[in-house]
Amino acid sequence: MNAHDCLVIAHRGASSYAPENTCAAFDLALAMGVRHLELDVQMSRDGHLVVIHDDNVDRTSNGSGAVTAHTLAGLHALDAGAWFDAKFAGERIPTFESLLDRYKGRAHLHVEIKGKTAGLAERTADAIRKHGWAQDVTMTSFQKSKLEELRAYAPALPVGWLLQNIDDAVVSEARTLGIAQLCPRADTITPQLVERLRTEGFNVRAWGVANEDLMRRMVASGVNGMTVNFPDKLIALLRGT
Ligand code: G3P
Ligand code: CA
């Protein structure tokens, strides 16, 4: 595979430079020339889809407590930018639907079903359908149950399975579920693994690319793409600059 074919996916936006999972981070990624944005979806207490990574708001806002303990209004009142840098004060935890509106036609979203709330995967698929995004999303999760729900409820949506480790059982389950993309943790990926999975027809997408060394190893191993917090550096590497 030509290195230029490696997909650059901004992980929670350009999250090395702006507060993760906020419009500031997603806008910055687009400004860097990235079309693929990764984000995490959870549900508020009153059933709204919100974009935040952790199960609680403590790390990435000025609030505290579980995401599922807050209403949407309560989440919206939180500052999701100042923890990262004072210049981002006023950034909000976005709703998933606001991002579907904001980036329609400008991005491909890699949507991770992060929360464990019942119905989260179906509600996320409903929002995607309602906003006419079905052609430009890839659904992902570490939770096999959520992937099964997605395959049953919205079989047209492409799915990637986020994995800590890959073994034969996982490969066989992925095939049975009709999952075309496998997403191993970057530090478990070797050229041999990529070759094997690609020969078996899977798209191989890395996550957990913690530093530039690992990023270079991923490109050399022939992965189809990776999420990365510093997409500008991956773009430069692929361009050979
Ligand atoms: O690329 C997938 C990656 O986002 C999974 O890990 O913890 O950042 O959601 P995490
Ligand atoms: Ca994620």
Side-chain angles (χ1 to χ4, degrees):
M1 188 184 81
N2 189 321
H4 295 88
D5 296 335
C6 180
L7 203 61
V8 181
I9 308 169
H11 181 234
R12 311 179 201 169
S15 57
S16 279
Y17 312 107
E20 65 182 58
N21 280 327
T22 65
C23 289
F26 298 127
D27 287 353
L28 181 57
L30 292 181
M32 288 171 169
V34 179
R35 191 168 191 276
H36 288 253
L37 308 175
E38 192 265 355
L39 55 85
D40 303 286
V41 175
Q42 314 229 20
M43 204 184 279
S44 68
R45 188 174 91 204
D46 48 351
H48 292 273
L49 302 173
V50 290
V51 174
I52 182 168
H53 178 271
D54 298 357
D55 289 345
N56 63 66
V57 300
D58 300 43
R59 181 179 60 87
T60 57
S61 84
N62 60 345
S64 65
V67 175
T68 52
H70 290 272
T71 61
L72 179 62
L75 291 169
H76 190 71
L78 300 177
D79 187 305
W83 70 274
F84 186 86
D85 188 299
K87 72 180 179 199
F88 293 109
E91 282 298 319
R92 301 290 156 203
I93 296 169
T95 63
F96 180 56
E97 295 209 39
S98 73
L99 298 186
L100 292 173
D101 278 339
R102 186 180 181 98
Y103 298 116
K104 185 152 190 195
R106 297 197 286 145
H108 180 109
L109 299 182
H110 297 252
V111 179
E112 181 178 350
I113 305 298
K114 183 61 99 180
K116 298 188 171 49
T117 318
L120 177 60
E122 289 88 344
R123 289 285 316 282
T124 306
D126 286 343
I128 288 164
R129 202 176 288 134
K130 177 177 137 197
H131 288 259
W133 264 78
Q135 303 310 311
D136 239 337
V137 292
T138 302
M139 309 301 290
T140 67
S141 192
F142 285 103
Q143 304 173 68
K144 195 176 97 184
S145 60
K146 298 293 188 205
L147 299 179
E148 287 168 337
E149 285 165 31
L150 282 169
R151 294 301 297 144
Y153 186 74
L157 296 182
V159 165
W161 191 354
L162 297 165
L163 294 152
Q164 297 288 350
N165 287 299
I166 290 206
D167 55 25
D168 289 347
V170 160
V171 172
S172 151
E173 281 180 291
R175 203 174 287 115
T176 305
L177 280 171
I179 291 175
Q181 183 181 73
L182 293 176
C183 308
R185 204 179 67 224
D187 62 2
T188 69
I189 290 178
T190 60
Q192 295 73 24
L193 177 69
V194 174
E195 165 86 29
R196 181 199 149 194
L197 294 176
R198 293 191 56 159
T199 302
E200 295 193 36
F202 291 102
N203 175 290
V204 183
R205 193 274 265 175
W207 67 273
V209 181
N211 55 58
E212 290 178 63
D213 250 14
L214 202 44
M215 175 182 82
R216 280 188 282 272
R217 269 174 49 198
M218 291 304 96
V219 172
S221 74
V223 295
N224 297 97
M226 70 187 92
T227 47
V228 65
N229 299 355
F230 32 84
D232 54 333
K233 295 192 171 143
L234 180 52
I235 290 170
L237 175 67
L238 297 174
R239 279 189 188 142
T241 55

